[in-house]
Amino acid sequence: SHGLRWTKSVAPRIFGDKLLNMSITSEHVGCEAQQQNEREKKDLAIKKHLKYFQRCMDVLPSQCENLDTSRMTLLFFCLSGMDVLDCLNISPSRKYEIIEWIYSQQVLPDPNNPENNSDRCGGFRGSSFLGVTFNNSESPQLYPYDCSHIAMTYTALASLLILGDDFSRINKPALMKGLQALQQPDGSFCSTIEGTETDMRFVYCACSVCYMLNDWSGVNKDKASEYIRNSVSYDFGIAQGPNLESHGGSTFCAIASLALMERLHTTFSNKDIERIKKWCINRQQSGFQGRPNKPVDTCYSFWVGASLELLGSSELIDRDLNTAFILSTEGQYTGGFSKWPDAHTDPLHSYLGLCGLSLIGHHQVQPIHAALNITQRATEWMKSLYSR
């Protein structure tokens, strides 16, 4: 089947208990080393990956209907995936359609009374799941429970950059006011004004949005930095919040947020940074795991790999082992990547697998901006907007 299947499968048998117990025998490493020359010769199935992302942009199976509210993020994975592959060959008419759809999800102030919904708007929703009309951004009307989502705002802006949009239709004042309403007293952010969990993911989204728009009025940097500092765990990884378990994804969100705010070395001492580096590098078994005693997973080649890149220690990664693991999850028939070998491919792991390869310098993919998680090409376009 060409469709996506989101499963809760167990760790693949190909690695068995060796990876689950975080122990790689010398025999296993020796086998990897013997196979490395052959793996390096293996080229990515570029055409299959391109078709995979194109297919996901056009149609998704019924199993993905629970992701309807997150279409914006799925679009980002597909667009940026094609960009990392240097295959963003979208016709002008198709590009126009996508840009118009993205802007149709912008939640704008009430034109008759802007203060009426000022804390609910400015950013983007994930899709028109509430029944919002396509052209609602042209003549805004209020819909019950309609509000922007901070993660969808991040992926919407990133997608617009990838497509070469100039942000001229972004209501920046409303967006920044909406961000301010989402920041909590402890410095964290919630995802929507309706009330959701607050954690490191949304701190990262807020920092990325402000960085892309070159406007930091939506984030209290002091509080955000303090929240990150308070979320360092006993083992020196970084958790979603204070007194929680450290995790590769939240460690990236914290380190990337500080890098974007230019506060990495003022929030953490050199000793702190060395401890965080050690936690990160200890997550590599063949690929990377997200937490101790967990199996390796394709996406952590980005989450942890990008953390090490931002900490200035990407040279500590065993690139051969990491490359071998990522390539072992490549979809042989459908294209894309899965979280484990012989599992179903999905857009998230397909995109982050390519980003993981980019961070270790794979010759078939484009370089990425480790903190923003978009290509350097898209980043250069973003920077050109600053001078306009």
Side-chain angles (χ1 to χ4, degrees):
S1 171
H2 291 313
L4 301 180
R5 293 183 183 177
W6 300 77
T7 64
K8 296 181 179 179
S9 57
V10 297
R13 293 178 182 177
I14 189 171
F15 291 114
D17 291 337
K18 290 179 181 179
L19 277 180
L20 292 176
N21 293 330
M22 290 173 48
S23 60
I24 301 179
T25 66
S26 59
E27 178 184 355
H28 176 77
V29 175
C31 290
E32 291 285 0
Q34 291 174 8
Q35 296 170 4
Q36 184 54 35
N37 288 336
E38 294 182 7
R39 290 190 182 278
E40 285 184 341
K41 294 177 183 177
K42 177 186 175 183
D43 287 336
L44 288 171
I46 299 293
K47 290 184 179 180
K48 287 184 179 179
H49 296 316
L50 176 59
K51 288 183 179 179
Y52 175 82
F53 287 125
Q54 290 173 333
R55 194 163 57 243
C56 290
M57 284 179 61
D58 291 336
V59 62
L60 288 170
S62 60
Q63 296 97 311
C64 294
E65 63 185 358
N66 64 324
L67 300 173
D68 188 48
T69 60
S70 302
R71 288 190 187 187
M72 192 70 74
T73 295
L74 295 176
L75 174 65
F76 165 70
F77 290 148
C78 295
L79 287 175
S80 203
M82 290 189 285
D83 198 20
V84 172
L85 290 169
D86 199 22
C87 293
L88 193 64
N89 301 319
I90 300 177
S91 68
S93 60
R94 179 64 167 150
K95 183 182 293 187
Y96 172 80
E97 290 175 354
I98 297 172
I99 290 175
E100 290 304 303
W101 181 82
I102 293 173
Y103 273 113
S104 75
Q105 306 309 323
Q106 187 175 196
V107 183
L108 295 173
D110 183 347
N112 299 316
N113 184 8
E115 295 301 319
N116 193 28
N117 65 335
S118 61
D119 59 348
R120 308 174 63 85
C121 64
F124 292 76
R125 63 178 80 83
S127 71
S128 56
F129 61 94
L130 286 174
V132 180
T133 58
F134 179 78
N135 64 349
N136 193 56
S137 61
E138 297 178 7
S139 301
Q141 298 178 17
L142 298 186
Y143 285 76
Y145 309 109
D146 188 24
C147 61
S148 59
H149 189 289
I150 196 169
M152 302 306 135
T153 301
Y154 159 63
T155 52
L157 294 178
S159 297
L160 288 172
L161 286 176
I162 293 165
L163 293 170
D165 184 73
D166 62 2
F167 286 168
S168 60
R169 287 187 277 173
I170 298 293
N171 189 326
K172 189 185 294 187
L175 199 159
M176 291 301 150
K177 190 168 184 178
L179 279 183
Q180 292 169 8
L182 296 178
Q183 189 164 23
Q184 305 301 297
D186 65 355
S188 65
F189 282 79
C190 55
S191 62
T192 74
I193 200 66
E194 287 293 334
T196 62
E197 67 268 35
T198 62
D199 57 51
M200 201 66 70
R201 295 171 299 171
F202 307 132
V203 174
Y204 169 72
C205 290
C207 290
S208 295
V209 166
C210 289
Y211 189 89
M212 286 189 282
L213 293 176
N214 197 28
D215 184 343
W216 286 94
S217 62
V219 172
N220 184 317
K221 290 185 178 182
D222 292 336
K223 287 186 176 182
S225 300
E226 183 181 6
Y227 180 78
I228 294 171
R229 176 69 193 176
N230 291 337
S231 299
V232 177
S233 186
Y234 71 93
D235 58 0
F236 303 107
I238 304 176
Q240 292 283 18
N243 304 314
L244 299 176
E245 182 183 11
S246 56
H247 189 277
S250 51
T251 296
F252 164 78
C253 289
I255 297 301
S257 296
L258 291 174
L260 294 172
M261 290 189 290
E262 298 183 342
R263 292 200 170 197
L264 180 59
H265 295 283
T266 56
T267 301
F268 293 131
S269 67
N270 290 336
K271 186 176 182 179
D272 292 331
I273 289 176
E274 290 303 314
R275 287 170 168 171
I276 297 170
K277 287 180 185 178
K278 183 178 180 180
W279 185 91
C280 288
I281 201 59
N282 281 336
R283 301 285 65 76
Q284 184 170 18
Q285 310 303 304
S286 54
F288 284 87
Q289 59 186 185
R291 293 173 287 169
N293 299 313
K294 294 291 185 177
V296 292
D297 181 330
T298 304
C299 66
Y300 295 109
S301 292
F302 171 75
W303 300 126
V304 182
S307 299
L308 286 166
E309 175 75 20
L310 294 169
L311 292 168
S313 297
S314 59
E315 75 281 356
L316 298 176
I317 298 173
D318 188 319
R319 296 166 189 257
D320 293 344
L321 282 179
N322 193 32
T323 300
F325 173 76
I326 296 173
L327 293 180
S328 74
T329 69
E330 192 174 22
Q332 182 179 357
Y333 303 108
T334 62
F337 293 84
S338 56
K339 67 187 302 181
W340 297 314
D342 300 321
H344 293 289
T345 57
D346 64 74
L348 181 148
H349 289 90
S350 297
Y351 175 59
L352 294 181
L354 291 174
C355 290
L357 290 173
S358 175
L359 289 167
I360 53 181
H362 193 281
H363 67 284
Q364 286 183 285
V365 294
Q366 299 301 302
I368 64 170
H369 187 289
L372 285 178
N373 192 16
I374 57 176
T375 61
Q376 289 290 356
R377 182 202 64 80
T379 304
E380 291 305 313
W381 169 248
M382 174 196 71
K383 291 180 179 177
S384 73
L385 300 179
Y386 293 170
S387 59
R388 295 190 177 189

